[in-house]
Amino acid sequence: MTSRGSHEGSDPSFQHTKTIIKAKTFDGNGEVPSGFEMIGRKIAKKMSGFALSYQSSLKKCFLFCSIFPKGWEIEKQKLIELWMAEGFLQPSQRDDMESVGNMFFNVLLQNSLLQVKDKDEYGNVSKCEMHDLVHDLASSFLSNNEDGGTPFRYMFLNKESNPLPKKVAKHLHTLFLECKTSDTKFSNFECLHNLTLSDNKELLNSVRKMVHLRNLNISNTWIRKLHVDKDEECWSIIKAKTFDENGEVPSGFEMIGRQVAKRCWGLPLAANVVGGVLRSKSEEEWRLINENWLSDAQGGEYISKILKLSFDHLSSPSLKKCFTFCSVFPKGWTIVKEELIELWMAEGFLQPSRRDDMESVGDMYFNVLLQNSLLQIQMSDDYGNVSECVMHDLVHDLASSVLSNNEDGSTPFRYVFLNQESSPIPEKVAKHLRTLFLECETFDAKLSNFECLHNLTLSGFGDKEFPNSVRKMIHLRNLNISNTWIGTLPKWIGELHHLQTLRANIWNLVKLPNTLKYMFNLRHLHINSRTKLPAEIGRLTSLQTLPYFTVGKEKGYQIEKLGSLKNLKGRLMICNLEEVHDKEEAQKANMFQKPNLFYLAFCWSDGRENERNDVEI
């Protein structure tokens, strides 16, 4: 067995760490009292152990923090964005980059390699700092990094800093620049991933060459002038949003439009958003928007003003609620259009009219948010229809801000996204929740006190039993369990009479309980092809989504049960058609009275005994 002393003596990381701590706390040649020596060894062992045992990406996140000066107050959100731009955060099927960054941040806190500096009003850490000794350790490890990296990979420069040689500058990935500078001093930084500028009045032309740039922070500057090409690009975007592609723009509109374009900082997002606001408005309205909404903003306030302008010009309070609701999803989250509309509907945001049902209103709202660039297209289906979208980080910040300062007194806890690491929600807050996304291994213990929910989405790989606590959620309108391993649904699920949407596309869900036929408000049923429907499904006359119907011999499974489902939309596959005896029986399905079905498939089983009436049916 190897003794402790011999192990530590052979560990270069331990010896290196111990030397740094000793040199920083005592004279270089002075003797260290035994008590201090023992404690110092423990600290060195813990730090060197961290450096050796954790995965490479987490170590890089730790070492990166040495870029900040000692005693620097580090904002958690900005730090994670910097890590992300450096490529340290690799997403998984379950976690996006931001979630991985949040996990890494918590690990560094738990190991005391970062220290809590400040918390927000909900008790979440918002700012941290790095102890001087830990900073020395990180700097030292970075300068001797085994992967060949140098301390010049990340740099913090101010007016007192010496100029960087070109051969060093070209390897820089992150630069914090706190000084007034010119393009001459700013050249040679073309490989930057992160750039933070302070105390500058112009966005330097050199930035245009930084094609690898992923996080540009200019919030602490007074930048007013952009490269003329960027202004022109923004004007082109605004023009395309507001006039026909080949149409001539009246001179009055163009003069105002070019002024607005200069305020977009060369950012396509800002140009798209303001273009959406200006669409279909008169020249006088353009002038008022330019003078009253945007003229008094300075620096980074322009972008916030433009985004807020787009929000303020949304046509109705319901549409504004639909927009702010999207902040429930984490930044960068891929949002499925169909699911989003079902969530809006369950929240009561979509009021039908004589002409349009709730889903049609939701589709219209979704398109308005796309046109105003408050949502961005992520994916379209084979027919060119948008199926998935994302929300830009800056737009997400706006939605979150509006939601937390809502005039009707609601709070950001109205809609919540929780995972395994999230702090428990207090009971007094939980009772006001309307939408909950819960990602964890077990559900029941986490679902108490949420009896007023309208939307519940469960994701996890532990529980196979349906949580009994859902039975108390009598106001539930949308239940999504598709990303679980739940194998059976209880009979009491039929008591959820307000349910409008049930997403249970689970491979091992073999059948649905017969009590489902009592959900008379059910409009959307998303299931797997092998999940057996309950008898008398035809009683659910509000159904619009029913992907599969299997004809059976038993009572309640005849094809005539489709006859009463006149509101079906989208796709439908009818299976086991060999159980339909003749044309007259087939006509009882009333398929010609379902004009909103755009995809219809007929299936016969392979093992049938004869070929009865296939063509006739």
Side-chain angles (χ1 to χ4, degrees), residues 318-358:
S318 296
L319 178 53
K320 290 180 178 179
K321 289 179 180 178
C322 289
F323 165 67
T324 55
F325 177 89
C326 296
S327 64
V328 68
F329 302 105
K331 287 183 176 179
W333 191 267
T334 296
I335 306 171
V336 179
K337 174 186 175 181
E338 191 177 57
E339 293 181 15
L340 180 61
I341 292 175
E342 290 168 357
L343 290 164
W344 286 344
M345 183 171 69
E347 280 289 341
F349 299 156
L350 310 178
Q351 297 302 315
S353 63
R354 290 183 179 178
R355 183 176 179 180
D356 299 309
D357 59 12
M358 290 186 286

Side-chain angles (χ1 to χ4, degrees), residues 538-566:
R539 298 176 63 176
L540 304 182
T541 55
S542 296
L543 265 185
Q544 295 185 12
T545 301
L546 181 67
Y548 307 99
F549 181 85
T550 301
V551 182
K553 296 178 181 179
E554 312 99 302
K555 183 179 180 181
Y557 289 96
Q558 295 86 0
I559 197 170
E560 65 185 42
K561 297 303 176 183
L562 284 174
S564 57
L565 303 182
K566 298 179 180 180

Side-chain angles (χ1 to χ4, degrees), residues 251-271:
S251 59
F253 283 96
E254 180 165 355
M255 181 180 69
I256 301 169
R258 287 187 177 277
Q259 292 176 9
V260 173
K262 289 180 179 179
R263 294 185 171 126
C264 292
W265 282 11
L267 294 178
L269 169 68

Side-chain angles (χ1 to χ4, degrees), residues 525-584:
L525 178 60
H526 303 271
I527 55 172
N528 192 277
S529 58
R530 70 191 298 263
T531 302
K532 186 177 181 180
L533 290 171
E536 306 293 337
I537 193 71
R539 298 176 63 176
L540 304 182
T541 55
S542 296
L543 265 185
Q544 295 185 12
T545 301
L546 181 67
Y548 307 99
F549 181 85
T550 301
V551 182
K553 296 178 181 179
E554 312 99 302
K555 183 179 180 181
Y557 289 96
Q558 295 86 0
I559 197 170
E560 65 185 42
K561 297 303 176 183
L562 284 174
S564 57
L565 303 182
K566 298 179 180 180
N567 294 308
L568 290 181
K569 295 181 178 180
R571 296 172 174 264
L572 173 62
M573 178 180 290
I574 306 177
C575 305
N576 286 6
L577 279 171
E578 69 275 7
E579 299 295 341
V580 180
H581 297 95
D582 50 39
K583 178 180 178 181
E584 287 69 29

